[in-house]
């Protein structure tokens, strides 16, 4: 069965957003690019590979929590509609679908390819489930989520950590704005722990994360006719103890001048100069509870894996 895509982020819209982000980020000091541009088809495949790496614990830890508590989530929420933001291939979501047996599943993602693949796989296991796939950006298109019965919004994988604190506040307020009082948010957050565990998760021995990081340059080369020497940049992952987040960067191996004709831009890089491509914030329970409260939620349940590496929070929208 083919599920039609509801498109609120078409190719032209993505191209305009990419151009704006590239001009803003590469003319700033220090230089930066948003992590959402990792995820073309190749980037999505690379990230799926990352989730299976031995160093990358978040996916396994979150899956363990879902395995242990999906039936609790179903009982506590009574959700008949499951909405997943930044759904990707919805790999872990099937645990929720099996427990909830909802009437409607609404995945939202920027990647049509991932949405189509996920819908095809889900249709095999849940042939009677209605699926409404939305191509959209969860920071911009929450208003297009359907009004339906007893909704549970899932935002998994620790993706909220890719947002800066002010962006998180706007996002959580936006989710609260589309929910009715009593409806729920299921939030995945990676927890603060030793850099000896954190850093290898973002700098694996096989180099898959390095390829994923450099993929953003390939995206710019392809879509904006840029001439980045992709191998001229080294992957860097650092723990920032003050902000309690991992930073991924691309570091120029040598001085270079990059031209990006589609935005009429030439960018100079000194040897060792870096582009910040991602932050991945790590959390503590009190901080999660505070951010949820400020957005209009109450933290009802907090579950972690046995090693307390990752947490799932079930929050309820307040009146």
């Amino acid at each position: 069965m083919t599920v039609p895509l509801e498109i609120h982020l078409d190719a032209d819209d993505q191209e305009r957003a990419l151009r704006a982000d590239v001009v803003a980020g590469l003319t700033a000091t220090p230089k930066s690019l948003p992590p959402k541009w990792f995820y073309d088809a190749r980037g999505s495949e690379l990230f799926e590979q990352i989730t299976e790496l031995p160093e990358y614990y978040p996916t396994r830890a979150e899956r363990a929590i879902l395995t242990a508590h999906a039936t609790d989530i179903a009982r506590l929420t009574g959700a008949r509609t499951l909405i997943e933001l930044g759904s990707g291939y919805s790999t872990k979501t099937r645990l929720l679908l099996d427990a909830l047996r909802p009437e409607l599943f609404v995945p939202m993602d920027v990647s049509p390819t991932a949405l189509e693949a996920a819908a095809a796989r889900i249709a095999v296991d849940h042939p009677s489930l209605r699926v409404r796939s939305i191509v959209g950006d969860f920071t911009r298109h929450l208003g297009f989520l359907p009004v339906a019965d007893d909704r549970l919004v899932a935002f998994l994988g620790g993706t909220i950590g890719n947002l800066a604190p002010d962006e998180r506040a706007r996002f959580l307020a936006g989710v609260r704005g589309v929910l009715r009082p009593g409806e729920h948010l299921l939030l995945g957050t990676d927890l603060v722990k030793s850099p000896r565990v954190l850093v290898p998760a973002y700098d694996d021995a096989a180099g898959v994360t390095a390829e994923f990081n450099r993929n953003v340059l390939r995206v710019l080369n392809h879509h904006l006719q840029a001439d980045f020497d992709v191998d001229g940049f080294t992957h860097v992952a650092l723990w920032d103890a003050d902000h309690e987040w991992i930073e991924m960067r691309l570091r120029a191996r040598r001085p270079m001048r990059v031209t990006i004709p589609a935005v009429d831009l030439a960018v100079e890089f000194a040897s060792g100069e870096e582009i910040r491509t991602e932050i991945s914030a790590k959390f503590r329970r009190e901080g999660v509870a505070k951010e949820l409260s400020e957005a209009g939620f109450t933290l009802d349940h907090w579950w972690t894996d046995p090693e307390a590496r990752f947490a799932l929070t079930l929050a309820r929208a307040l009146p």
Side-chain angles (χ1 to χ4, degrees), residues 51 58-60 62-63 66 84 89-97 156-157:
T51 65
T59 300
R60 290 188 298 277
E62 188 175 46
R63 186 183 292 121
L66 284 169
E84 185 179 16
Y89 290 95
S90 295
T91 306
K92 297 186 296 289
T93 317
R94 290 171 203 136
L95 294 166
L96 282 175
L97 291 172
L156 304 177

Side-chain angles (χ1 to χ4, degrees), residues 79-310:
R80 297 162 64 188
T81 302
L82 176 62
I83 297 168
E84 185 179 16
L85 305 178
S87 55
Y89 290 95
S90 295
T91 306
K92 297 186 296 289
T93 317
R94 290 171 203 136
L95 294 166
L96 282 175
L97 291 172
D98 289 343
L100 290 167
R101 295 289 169 178
E103 298 168 5
L104 175 64
F105 175 48
V106 184
M108 174 184 277
D109 199 85
V110 297
S111 170
T113 304
L115 287 168
E116 289 171 340
R121 293 174 189 170
I122 287 167
V124 174
D125 295 328
H126 300 274
S128 63
L129 177 65
R130 287 190 298 127
V131 179
R132 180 173 168 180
S133 298
I134 299 178
V135 181
D137 183 335
F138 57 71
T139 66
R140 296 170 50 199
H141 299 119
L142 292 176
F144 293 104
L145 295 175
V147 176
D149 293 329
D150 302 319
R151 292 170 298 175
L152 168 63
V153 173
F155 193 43
L156 304 177
T159 306
I160 194 167
N162 297 146
L163 304 178
D166 59 331
E167 294 171 326
R168 293 200 301 267
R170 288 195 297 272
F171 167 75
L172 290 171
V175 174
R176 174 61 193 89
V178 301
L179 293 179
R180 293 182 290 260
E183 293 186 316
H184 292 85
L185 168 66
L186 184 66
L187 181 65
T189 51
D190 198 5
L191 302 180
V192 174
K193 61 187 72 65
S194 168
R196 291 191 300 275
V197 176
L198 284 167
V199 173
Y202 295 85
D203 193 11
D204 62 278
V208 181
T209 310
E211 283 303 298
F212 175 70
N213 195 7
R214 283 190 287 263
N215 193 62
V216 72
L217 303 182
R218 294 188 177 93
V219 169
L220 270 56
N221 284 352
H222 176 72
H223 288 280
L224 302 181
Q225 298 81 55
D227 59 359
F228 279 97
D229 174 7
V230 175
D231 293 329
F233 287 82
T234 302
H235 166 68
V236 179
L238 299 171
W239 171 243
D240 183 328
D242 292 335
H243 292 99
E244 294 191 324
W245 65 40
I246 288 280
E247 284 196 11
M248 291 209 317
R249 304 175 186 174
L250 291 169
R251 179 180 294 158
R253 297 177 184 270
R254 53 180 172 77
M256 63 185 83
R257 184 176 191 268
V258 176
T259 60
I260 311 175
V263 291
D264 193 25
L265 185 65
V267 185
E268 302 286 344
F269 288 90
S271 180
E273 188 174 0
E274 295 174 339
I275 310 169
R276 188 175 80 175
T277 53
E278 182 179 88
I279 64 168
S280 184
K282 309 306 169 187
F283 296 87
R284 303 175 188 271
R285 177 171 179 159
E286 58 271 24
V288 174
K290 181 174 184 291
E291 292 191 32
L292 287 168
S293 176
E294 289 172 349
F297 290 95
T298 184
L299 190 160
D300 280 349
H301 296 276
W302 170 273
W303 298 290
T304 69
D305 63 292
E307 297 177 51
R309 297 168 298 176
F310 199 92

